[in-house]
Amino acid sequence: MIRKFISQVFGHKLPGRGGEPTVIPHARHGIRREALSNGSRRVIETLQDNGYQAFVVGGAVRDLLVGIEPKDFDVATDATPEQARQCFRRARIIGRRFQIVHVMMGQETVEVTTFRGHHGQQDTPRAQTDAQGRVLRDNVFGSQKEDAARRDFTVNALYYDPVAETVIDYHQGLADLERKTLRMIGHPATRCREDPVRMLRAVRLAAKLDFSIDADTLRTLGELAGLIENVPPSRLFDEMLKLLTSGHSVKCLQRLRAEGLHHGLLPLLDVILEQSLGKRFVTLALENTDRRVRDGRPISPGFLFATLLWNEVLNQWEALKTGGERPIPALYLAMDNVLDAQAEKLAITRRVAGDIKDIWALQPRFELRSGKRSHGLLEQPRFKAGLDFLLLRAESGEVDAALGQWWLNFLNADGETRAAMLLAQGPGAEKKRRRRKRKSGAAAGVAADTTTAECP
Ligand code: ATP
Ligand code: MG
């Protein structure tokens, strides 16, 4: 009787512990099918017309339920990749380890994934794990129930069927969503051992959704933070980039810190968060990035990592110069040292590393304001990024604010004004400025040193 009443109010079936799912009707979940992208809706309809199950799954359902516009709409189905591909005119199978299907619908590409099964089941090939329990291979198809169980958080394991307008919930994700709680599915320690990146995901998603992390999950993060060291550097880079470009990077880092997670979690964060000198610069940079993300403006990973590592470059640059190295070779050496040290843990891609170096290498060149050099600098492909970087340094108080303003004015000025600006700087002015700095003993400052440097 009670079961019947509850099921009528809350859904078709009672939530079982890993058993039958709750089927939540539209009146309860409130998602409108029009909220889906056209492509994902058509893909689901086509798969269902062909006799397969198909749902929107994961982050998109979660975001729709909390009223955030989803980034993308992933589709999960019981069709194998080959069966799914055959349902569409423009579709291709990608990936080797675990195949997924990309279906092209007009401009949109919809990612279709076959339900994944449990690793380590008796009737399927066992997942390979490393000594710490991290899953190395995970490529077994399964049922929807198994697919739900291997997702990370209960709120990420909801399936929306736009045809029936129902949400399928195996792990009481809707209840957690309403409690604004991020809860790991299954045993948190096992799940974090299987894939330590889930710990970073917990922090990122909690910050994004403004959820709390449930007590068991949180305790596990504290205990197992060190396992992050075990994650391949390239994957760590991807996840770290997601965290930093989530639009909530400041909140994410604060949470990592609050939980004491940043130590074991990432060498980069140790460097950033432990230095009060660079903290203002980094905070400004992250706030700036969060604003850009929220305004829908593009983010350059190179710029972002250049800001995060700048303080370390400054320290090393200074040390090398003190050790007798000339300023510009010292800067290049410091840049390489910092990037090499970071690469051991966090594989910054070669392209991004190139961008970072370009931005750093431009910095001393802003100190030199003379006719040919200044015009030449404007022509540099990374000039705009370099200038934004300089403006941040000025805002944080590391360099004279007037320098950043001068370059901003120079960039926006017409030819005549530029000529006048350079004249005002003139060789005489430049010499005087250097003399003043030498007299005031400013040679200890980084910026002062570079004014006399021969730039590459
Ligand atoms: P967002 O896209 O907002 O960053 P998301 O949850 O959609 O968040 P994705 O990386 O797009 O994140 O993953 C899609 C879904 O795949 C998740 O919602 C979750 O169900 C599942 N998933 C992703 N990464 C993992 C993981 N490391 N372990 C288990 N499940 C995962
Ligand atoms: Mg997503």
Side-chain angles (χ1 to χ4, degrees):
M1 191 61 186
I2 292 171
R3 286 178 75 85
K4 198 171 164 200
F5 171 74
I6 292 175
S7 71
Q8 270 168 3
V9 174
F10 293 105
H12 298 170
K13 280 177 186 158
L14 274 176
R17 222 173 266 258
E20 292 306 305
T22 316
V23 181
I24 301 162
H26 175 262
R28 172 96 171 85
H29 65 69
I31 297 178
R32 290 180 313 111
R33 52 165 78 104
E34 294 76 25
L36 265 51
S37 67
N38 269 335
S40 61
R41 244 176 94 180
R42 277 169 52 202
V43 165
I44 289 173
E45 283 162 9
T46 306
L47 285 165
Q48 292 194 4
D49 286 347
N50 281 275
Y52 300 112
Q53 295 176 26
F55 305 84
V56 171
V57 66
V61 185
R62 176 200 71 212
D63 287 353
L64 285 174
L65 286 167
V66 293
I68 298 175
E69 195 184 329
K71 277 202 301 229
D72 39 38
F73 295 87
D74 297 331
V75 171
T77 178
D78 63 348
T80 63
E82 189 48 39
Q83 287 168 333
R85 189 183 64 81
Q86 284 174 9
C87 294
F88 302 95
R89 213 161 40 84
R90 292 167 61 220
R92 59 164 192 268
I93 296 177
I94 61 157
R96 259 182 304 166
R97 197 171 74 92
F98 192 87
Q99 295 184 324
I100 57 176
V101 182
H102 275 181
V103 182
M104 275 67 78
M105 286 281 176
Q107 299 284 55
E108 196 182 341
T109 300
V110 180
E111 211 169 280
V112 178
T113 311
T114 304
F115 294 143
R116 287 195 210 183
H118 287 305
H119 27 75
Q121 273 184 184
Q122 267 156 13
D123 54 348
T124 56
R126 280 189 78 80
Q128 294 170 16
T129 56
D130 68 7
Q132 279 72 33
R134 188 169 65 88
V135 172
L136 301 175
R137 286 179 66 81
D138 178 16
N139 54 358
V140 182
F141 297 141
S143 64
Q144 185 183 30
K145 181 173 155 186
E146 288 163 348
D147 187 81
R150 59 164 299 289
R151 291 180 183 272
D152 45 10
F153 305 103
T154 60
V155 295
N156 279 351
L158 295 164
Y159 299 76
Y160 174 61
D161 178 344
V163 179
E165 291 203 288
T166 49
V167 168
I168 316 285
D169 183 0
Y170 286 87
H171 296 279
Q172 301 177 46
L174 190 65
D176 280 338
L177 191 122
E178 286 166 347
R179 280 195 288 263
K180 290 176 144 256
T181 298
L182 206 59
R183 185 190 314 279
M184 193 79 78
I185 293 173
H187 188 238
T190 312
R191 303 306 309 284
C192 290
R193 281 184 196 283
E194 279 171 8
D195 181 6
V197 164
R198 288 174 187 150
M199 299 194 270
L200 285 180
R201 285 178 56 82
V203 170
R204 173 168 65 86
L205 291 175
K208 164 178 167 164
L209 300 166
D210 207 12
F211 277 22
S212 55
I213 301 173
D214 105 288
D216 279 353
T217 309
L218 198 59
R219 195 169 330 108
T220 307
L221 301 194
E223 285 163 11
L224 299 182
L227 289 182
I228 287 287
E229 308 225 350
N230 199 22
V231 177
S234 59
R235 183 132 188 261
L236 212 49
F237 174 75
D238 287 346
E239 195 49 41
M240 198 55 204
L241 198 56
K242 275 193 192 175
L243 194 141
L244 294 169
T245 57
S246 64
H248 307 273
S249 64
V250 175
K251 213 156 52 158
C252 282
L253 293 202
Q254 280 167 350
R255 278 214 180 205
L256 290 177
R257 215 173 180 193
E259 318 302 354
L261 277 171
H262 64 295
H263 283 298
L265 219 44
L266 217 56
L268 182 71
L269 289 183
D270 276 351
V271 172
I272 298 163
L273 297 174
E274 299 307 324
Q275 293 170 353
S276 59
L277 238 178
K279 213 172 136 212
R280 180 166 157 71
F281 179 69
V282 166
T283 309
L284 278 173
L286 293 179
E287 282 169 358
N288 183 36
T289 306
D290 287 350
R291 258 196 312 277
R292 286 184 73 95
V293 173
R294 289 190 195 144
D295 295 347
R297 285 182 290 158
I299 294 296
S300 139
F303 187 87
L304 194 54
F305 282 103
T307 57
L308 294 182
L309 296 172
W310 176 240
N311 210 57
E312 192 54 21
V313 172
L314 279 183
N315 286 342
Q316 297 215 18
W317 189 12
E318 210 41 57
L320 285 163
K321 281 187 295 182
T322 308
E325 193 68 71
R326 283 179 306 133
I328 294 304
L331 171 62
Y332 277 71
L333 219 61
M335 286 172 12
D336 284 340
N337 287 348
V338 169
L339 285 174
D340 286 350
Q342 195 57 54
E344 280 175 24
K345 298 289 177 201
L346 185 82
I348 293 176
T349 57
R350 219 192 293 201
R351 197 178 55 79
V352 173
D355 290 349
I356 297 174
K357 284 188 183 179
D358 286 348
I359 292 169
W360 286 342
L362 279 171
Q363 297 311 305
R365 302 180 64 177
F366 285 114
E367 301 284 340
L368 305 161
R369 286 172 282 174
S370 65
K372 259 207 301 206
R373 279 181 174 145
S374 302
H375 283 289
L377 210 53
L378 287 184
E379 305 302 319
Q380 291 292 321
R382 307 287 300 157
F383 171 80
K384 199 60 198 24
L387 177 56
D388 282 345
F389 196 85
L390 177 73
L391 292 171
L392 255 166
R393 293 172 63 209
E395 203 182 336
S396 73
E398 185 213 320
V399 291
D400 191 352
L403 182 66
Q405 193 55 49
W406 189 91
W407 276 100
L408 208 54
N409 295 345
F410 190 69
L411 174 69
N412 295 321
D414 57 21
E416 215 174 298
T417 318
R418 278 183 190 169
M421 286 175 77
L422 289 172
L423 210 62
Q425 284 296 313
E430 183 68 18
K431 267 188 200 153
K432 265 189 236 153
R433 210 160 59 83
R434 283 190 210 163
R435 243 197 326 267
R436 261 204 318 273
K437 281 199 171 165
R438 264 201 299 273
K439 267 193 189 154
S440 66
V446 169
D449 263 346
T450 57
T451 53
T452 53
E454 239 344 279
C455 291

